[in-house]
Amino acid sequence: MAPSWVLLDRQVPFPHDPIVIKEGDKLVGRGCPPSKEQMMKAIALYLLTLKPDAQLVDPPNTSSLRMLPTTSSIPPLCAGVTSARISSSDKNLVALYAGAYRPGVLSKGCYLIYDARKNSLSTIPQLPFDRSHGRIGRDSALVVSDGEGDGYVLAELMRVRSSDVAEAALYLWPSSATEWVMKAGRLPVEICQPMDDFSADMCFLSEGSTLCWVDLFKGLLVCDLRQVLKDNSKPEFRFIPLPDVCPPHNVYTPEGRQLRAEEFRSMSYAQGAIRFVTMDGYVEHQPGDEFELIMWTLSSDLSKWEQTSEYNVGKIWEHETHQAIGMPKIAPSLPVLSMYEDGVVYLVFSDVRVEGCKLEYKGQYLLRVDMGNNTVQFYPGSTKWIHSQLMASDFSAYQQVSAHHPREVEASQLAAGNGKRMKL
């Protein structure tokens, strides 16, 4: 039986033999340079030949998705398209950036939609290129299932750079479409301050139709897709800042190190509400310093944050497993909220020690912290080192369901607080 939800590695490899990849690179330079249309068509056709392979395990173990090649060679125009990155998921669907493509960047690749129910792939072309449009962040593509059949909408948000006002372009691709539809809107003034622009670290769906983009240093940008589709109107955006007591933090530390918010903060839609988890003492802490892991819950009208759980990180160091292994008193990182376990957060603990003049990587542990019951559990990590935040997704629940009986899973997930259906 497939897990009801998983902790998913966002990186998706296309595991070709390195020799095959090099041969593909050599072939690119032969003959006349291809047009962009020829290259994009070749890449889309190649991606559709890949066979999805989901390796699914219950949390806290890490699940993964990979695309297996069905041919022994890479088409010449597709050289370099060797992986994808997951941006978002909704029910049985997963949205990915294939290759090096990101919106606003001239590079090989496109959007990829994985359907777990059918174990199939579909491709969506790049956004129309516009030099005045800049991406809103790193992972900003949101897939929204219609909750009933095979229909969906892919949404991508771009900032309009050349305008005097805070304009945005919301691009929509319905699954039945043949081209992108662009909806112009205006961004809240709070996220368009000079030298302090909003930059999305992650995105997710709330209440079945609310698009959410999160800057973990600033707050949450939301837009109701249902309203946009219903009235064919301009998108209306709203900004919800982080709780007032959360330090704003600069992107760069006083030592000049670039700070990654995902190391100590995360946000998602879990147990029927938007929740935010943070370790705000993480940035300034020294080994042995204690600080709090805190969970906040946003009210249903998106107007107020309430602190709902708290856990002292020092209790992790007191755990018998931590003491038996002799790990140093350093902070865990990369928090992820459980989708269905109230007050549960998963963390990564990297056992890194100084041996002489070198750093020695002894191993990693995944921690399950139950903030409500004040407990922590240690689990040995896999051989693959976790460098970035994992993603919580319930696409795994649809792996076990036949396409002839889709409503069985939908009903169970909705009962668990997975959101409302949206008619597209």
Side-chain angles (χ1 to χ4, degrees):
M1 184 173 179
S4 61
W5 73 282
V6 292
L7 290 170
L8 186 62
D9 189 342
R10 287 182 182 266
Q11 294 303 125
V12 179
F14 307 164
H16 269 290
D17 188 304
I19 296 176
V20 172
I21 295 174
K22 289 181 181 179
E23 289 300 316
D25 289 336
K26 291 178 183 177
L27 292 170
V28 174
R30 298 180 182 179
C32 298
S35 67
K36 179 182 177 182
E37 289 73 20
Q38 289 174 319
M39 185 176 295
M40 292 301 103
K41 183 177 181 180
I43 290 172
L45 291 173
Y46 164 63
L47 291 172
L48 292 176
T49 68
L50 300 176
K51 182 180 179 181
D53 179 36
Q55 303 291 315
L56 304 177
V57 289
D58 287 304
N61 295 308
T62 306
S63 296
S64 63
L65 178 64
R66 59 180 182 167
M67 306 297 176
L68 302 178
T70 56
T71 59
S72 59
S73 63
I74 298 177
L77 298 183
C78 304
V81 183
T82 57
S83 65
R85 179 176 171 84
I86 297 172
S87 179
S88 66
S89 70
D90 182 35
K91 299 181 174 65
N92 56 302
L93 302 175
V94 180
L96 308 94
Y97 296 112
Y101 171 69
R102 297 296 184 275
V105 178
L106 290 172
S107 55
K108 287 184 178 182
C110 62
Y111 295 93
L112 198 59
I113 301 295
Y114 168 59
D115 186 334
R117 183 180 292 147
K118 297 180 177 180
N119 199 41
S120 64
L121 297 172
S122 57
T123 60
I124 296 174
Q126 298 184 5
L127 297 183
F129 185 74
D130 188 328
R131 293 186 183 278
S132 68
H133 290 181
R135 59 179 178 169
I136 200 75
R138 181 178 61 174
D139 296 316
S140 52
L142 278 157
V143 65
V144 186
S145 169
D146 67 1
E148 295 179 351
D150 299 328
Y152 64 84
V153 170
L154 182 68
E156 181 70 88
L157 182 61
M158 300 287 282
R159 190 194 308 272
V160 180
R161 296 195 190 103
S162 60
S163 63
D164 294 331
V165 294
E167 289 187 359
L170 179 64
Y171 284 91
L172 302 176
W173 182 283
S175 51
S176 58
T178 57
E179 62 182 14
W180 285 96
V181 177
M182 194 274 282
K183 301 279 189 179
R186 181 169 294 189
L187 294 173
V189 66
E190 301 100 308
I191 69 169
C192 299
Q193 302 301 318
M195 305 302 291
D196 193 30
D197 279 346
F198 179 97
S199 180
D201 298 294
M202 59 175 58
C203 60
F204 58 85
L205 193 68
S206 169
E207 295 295 326
S209 69
T210 301
L211 308 175
C212 303
W213 295 272
V214 182
D215 183 328
L216 290 169
F217 286 129
K218 297 179 179 66
L220 177 68
L221 180 67
V222 301
C223 175
D224 187 350
L225 180 61
R226 188 195 307 271
Q227 199 65 36
V228 175
L229 297 176
K230 177 182 176 182
D231 301 332
N232 196 27
S233 58
K234 289 185 177 182
E236 294 185 3
F237 297 96
R238 178 180 174 186
F239 177 68
I240 299 101
L242 297 180
D244 291 339
V245 298
C246 293
H249 291 301
N250 293 318
V251 177
Y252 291 93
T253 67
E255 296 78 23
R257 183 176 74 90
Q258 187 171 3
L259 195 60
R260 295 193 305 153
E262 68 171 13
E263 292 180 2
F264 60 99
R265 287 178 174 176
S266 186
M267 191 183 296
S268 65
Y269 183 77
Q271 300 103 45
I274 294 174
R275 301 180 191 272
F276 171 59
V277 63
T278 179
M279 297 185 289
D280 285 324
Y282 176 93
V283 178
E284 303 84 4
H285 93 285
Q286 298 295 322
D289 290 350
E290 296 184 5
F291 54 91
E292 304 298 321
L293 173 68
I294 299 174
M295 185 183 296
W296 299 82
T297 300
L298 189 61
S299 60
S300 58
D301 62 357
L302 310 183
S303 64
K304 182 181 179 182
W305 290 101
E306 178 186 358
Q307 182 177 321
T308 48
S309 299
E310 185 172 344
Y311 185 84
N312 188 281
V313 172
K315 295 176 183 177
I316 295 174
W317 305 328
E318 297 171 1
H319 193 274
E320 58 184 10
T321 301
H322 187 282
Q323 295 184 354
I325 299 172
M327 290 187 287
K329 291 184 177 182
I330 56 178
S333 62
L334 306 173
V336 181
L337 285 151
S338 171
M339 292 195 71
Y340 300 128
E341 304 164 289
D342 191 29
V344 172
V345 178
Y346 291 87
L347 300 163
V348 176
F349 193 100
S350 301
D351 188 1
V352 182
R353 312 185 196 187
V354 178
E355 303 284 350
C357 299
K358 297 188 300 182
L359 287 177
E360 292 288 338
Y361 294 84
K362 301 292 187 180
Q364 277 188 326
Y365 288 82
L366 286 163
L367 277 58
R368 180 185 181 275
V369 177
D370 187 334
M371 302 171 74
N373 292 312
N374 204 26
T375 61
V376 60
Q377 295 168 285
F378 280 71
Y379 300 86
S382 65
T383 55
K384 183 178 179 181
W385 199 266
I386 300 172
H387 295 281
S388 59
Q389 198 170 68
L390 301 172
M391 173 182 167
S393 173
D394 61 358
F395 86 95
S396 55
Y398 296 82
Q399 287 275 323
Q400 61 189 349
V401 178
S402 164
H404 301 293
H405 302 284
R407 294 181 184 273
E408 293 176 10
V409 162
E410 288 168 6
S412 65
Q413 297 304 308
L414 289 167
N418 193 39
K420 303 171 183 175
R421 291 190 182 128
M422 181 180 68
K423 186 75 173 177
L424 300 181

